[in-house]
Amino acid sequence: MVQRADINSVLSDIRSLRSQMMQNQRVEQDQSVRGRIDGPRQVQETQETPSFNDMLSNAVNNVNDLQKTAGDLRTAYDMGDPNVDITRVMIAAQKSSVSFEALTQVRNRVVRAYEDIMNMPI
């Protein structure tokens, strides 16, 4: 029954977030309509798109951080730290595992794309 209550609380959180997002969208739409009527809107400064190298290195660093966190939690649990419970350790381990698998898949696809490009006739 405890799991059922947790699921219901998660569902209520999702519903409240959805309603907040819908309110924000309505407010943005109202502001954009007013901007057209009242006068020109300020042009927002465009952000520079990060390079592929930056994105890949950020992804690798994020995976590394998740693995370090999982290792630290595992060590703390093994040492008997009362503030670390097994659920936090297992969730952190799964997060690091999933992120590592995703990064591996990205690497495999990048290597496959590179090989395809190199094998193209000139």
Side-chain angles (χ1 to χ4, degrees):
M1 195 66 176
V2 172
Q3 290 178 346
R4 190 80 161 153
D6 291 341
I7 290 171
N8 290 331
S9 67
V10 169
L11 286 174
S12 67
D13 290 343
I14 291 172
R15 288 183 184 120
S16 67
L17 287 173
R18 185 186 313 156
S19 66
Q20 288 175 359
M21 286 178 18
M22 295 300 285
Q23 274 184 331
N24 289 342
Q25 286 178 346
R26 285 188 209 121
V27 169
E28 288 175 2
Q29 287 174 353
D30 292 342
Q31 288 175 350
S32 67
V33 169
R34 277 192 235 122
R36 286 187 217 132
I37 295 171
D38 295 340
R41 296 176 67 190
Q42 289 183 335
V43 177
Q44 294 179 353
E45 196 172 307
T46 58
Q47 295 178 352
E48 188 175 321
T49 306
S51 68
F52 180 76
N53 185 31
D54 292 339
M55 291 173 59
L56 190 61
S57 64
N58 285 340
V60 169
N61 290 336
N62 287 339
V63 170
N64 187 36
D65 291 342
L66 286 172
Q67 287 180 335
K68 282 182 182 178
T69 302
D72 292 344
L73 284 173
R74 187 177 297 123
T75 302
Y77 182 76
D78 289 341
M79 300 290 279
D81 187 351
N83 296 327
V84 179
D85 58 349
I86 188 69
T87 55
R88 283 182 55 198
V89 174
M90 295 308 294
I91 289 171
Q94 287 300 312
K95 281 182 182 180
S96 70
S97 175
V98 168
S99 64
F100 183 76
E101 288 176 20
L103 184 66
T104 303
Q105 291 297 321
V106 169
R107 184 213 53 188
N108 291 344
R109 289 185 184 203
V110 167
V111 168
R112 190 176 329 134
Y114 175 77
E115 289 172 347
D116 290 345
I117 290 170
M118 294 307 292
N119 290 332
M120 285 183 180
I122 295 177

